[in-house]
Structures are given as structure tokens and as C-alpha cells.
Amino acid sequence: MSTPAEQNIEFLQDEQGRLVLVDSNGIRHANVHAAKMFPLTERDHWISIQSEASREILCVEDPQKLPEASRKLLLEALSRRDFVPIIQVIHRIVRLADGHEWHVTTDRGDTSFEVETDESIQPLGHGRLVIIDRRNTRYLIPNAASLDRVSKRKLEHYY
């Protein structure tokens, strides 16, 4: 169920800091979870609100239409859940028998991960790329053209 802009919902925080939804009927849903339905292509829209049992209660199409206090709590909950490291520098890519090992610097520090095939590098449009490692962790390159020259050259071999 999608929430029209005029639908009256509210997000609160309980004593343990967990997200609470008060729906348009005044029903209080404790310990709800927010999840981006399209985290890479529609980062700022389409937020699924799920119960403790992971059943969708409703969908917020545009969080910007929520009252400021509710929007702030929802966006804070999403930021705690998000884990999409942004690749800033590609140091090296090492060929393995069954894939490649990437050594990179992300917005969360230096790391390395393994990629199985070249198909694990997917374009998202407008120069954005997502790289999916063996553990299904997604790494984002928001603009391949803005990488340094050496990183771009390493990336060109695989994309």
C-alpha cells in the first residue's frame, strides 16, 4: 500500500531508540524497519515500512512530503541500515583463478573484495556503476569519469 501525500502517518522513536509508525488509522506499529526499495536507482523515494516480522505495512513514495520530525526519524533509520560503500580509488585488481580481487579505498576506508565475473560490474546510467562482490555486498562508483586517471585505467580493463 502506497501512502498518498495527504495520508496522515507519523514516525516516533520508542525508549530503546527503535522506530515506531503511527498509521493513518491511529494504530501504533512498534519496532518497524525502513528499507529502500530501489537503493541505487531511486535513493530518495520508495521506502518500504516493514513490521518486526518483515511484512510490509506501507510504502512511503516520497519522504520529503512527511512532516519534518517524521522525515528526520525515517531518514536516520535508513542511514543506520544503509551499507553501500562508495569507491573513491581503485588501487589494484588482481586476477584470481575464479575471478578478481579488488583493492580499493571507499568512503569507509581501505578494503578488498572478490568479484566473480565481469558481469558483476553493472552500469546504472549517468556514469554510475555498481560492483557486486562474492558476498553480495554492493559497492558504488557514483561517477566513473570522476575517478583519478589510474583508477579509470584499471576499471577500463573490466568494464
Side-chain angles (χ1 to χ4, degrees), residues 104-157:
V104 300
T105 297
T106 72
D107 59 336
R108 296 182 170 144
D110 290 346
T111 191
S112 62
F113 56 89
E114 291 184 16
V115 173
E116 290 179 354
T117 67
D118 295 346
E119 286 80 35
S120 298
I121 304 169
Q122 297 292 317
L124 298 174
H126 307 291
R128 295 170 30 136
L129 300 170
V130 65
I131 296 136
I132 304 167
D133 76 3
R134 287 187 194 270
R135 295 175 298 176
N136 280 331
T137 300
R138 285 158 171 72
Y139 295 84
L140 182 65
I141 298 176
N143 184 354
S146 70
L147 289 172
D148 64 88
R149 184 177 52 82
V150 175
S151 294
K152 281 192 272 192
R153 191 173 37 210
K154 290 179 183 355
L155 183 61
E156 286 172 357
H157 289 290

Side-chain angles (χ1 to χ4, degrees), residues 20-148:
V20 175
L21 166 69
V22 179
D23 68 21
S24 60
N25 297 320
I27 298 172
R28 189 179 176 99
H29 302 269
N31 197 20
V32 297
H33 304 281
K36 293 180 180 181
M37 296 173 71
F38 308 102
L40 298 174
T41 57
E42 289 285 336
R43 292 183 55 83
D44 300 325
H45 293 88
W46 301 106
I47 311 301
S48 173
I49 308 302
Q50 302 166 0
S51 70
E52 278 186 284
S54 298
R55 296 187 68 117
E56 186 171 273
I57 300 168
L58 59 84
C59 175
V60 177
E61 181 179 347
D62 185 359
Q64 295 304 316
K65 294 181 180 176
L66 293 171
E68 185 175 344
S70 288
R71 180 177 59 248
K72 181 179 177 195
L73 286 172
L74 177 60
L75 295 178
E76 286 173 2
L78 284 169
S79 71
R80 287 191 302 270
R81 184 178 173 118
D82 275 352
F83 185 74
V84 181
I86 308 293
I87 294 176
Q88 299 170 330
V89 177
I90 302 170
H91 298 290
R92 67 184 186 276
I93 301 172
V94 179
R95 185 165 228 0
L96 303 173
D98 58 346
H100 297 91
E101 183 177 58
W102 289 54
H103 297 266
V104 300
T105 297
T106 72
D107 59 336
R108 296 182 170 144
D110 290 346
T111 191
S112 62
F113 56 89
E114 291 184 16
V115 173
E116 290 179 354
T117 67
D118 295 346
E119 286 80 35
S120 298
I121 304 169
Q122 297 292 317
L124 298 174
H126 307 291
R128 295 170 30 136
L129 300 170
V130 65
I131 296 136
I132 304 167
D133 76 3
R134 287 187 194 270
R135 295 175 298 176
N136 280 331
T137 300
R138 285 158 171 72
Y139 295 84
L140 182 65
I141 298 176
N143 184 354
S146 70
L147 289 172
D148 64 88

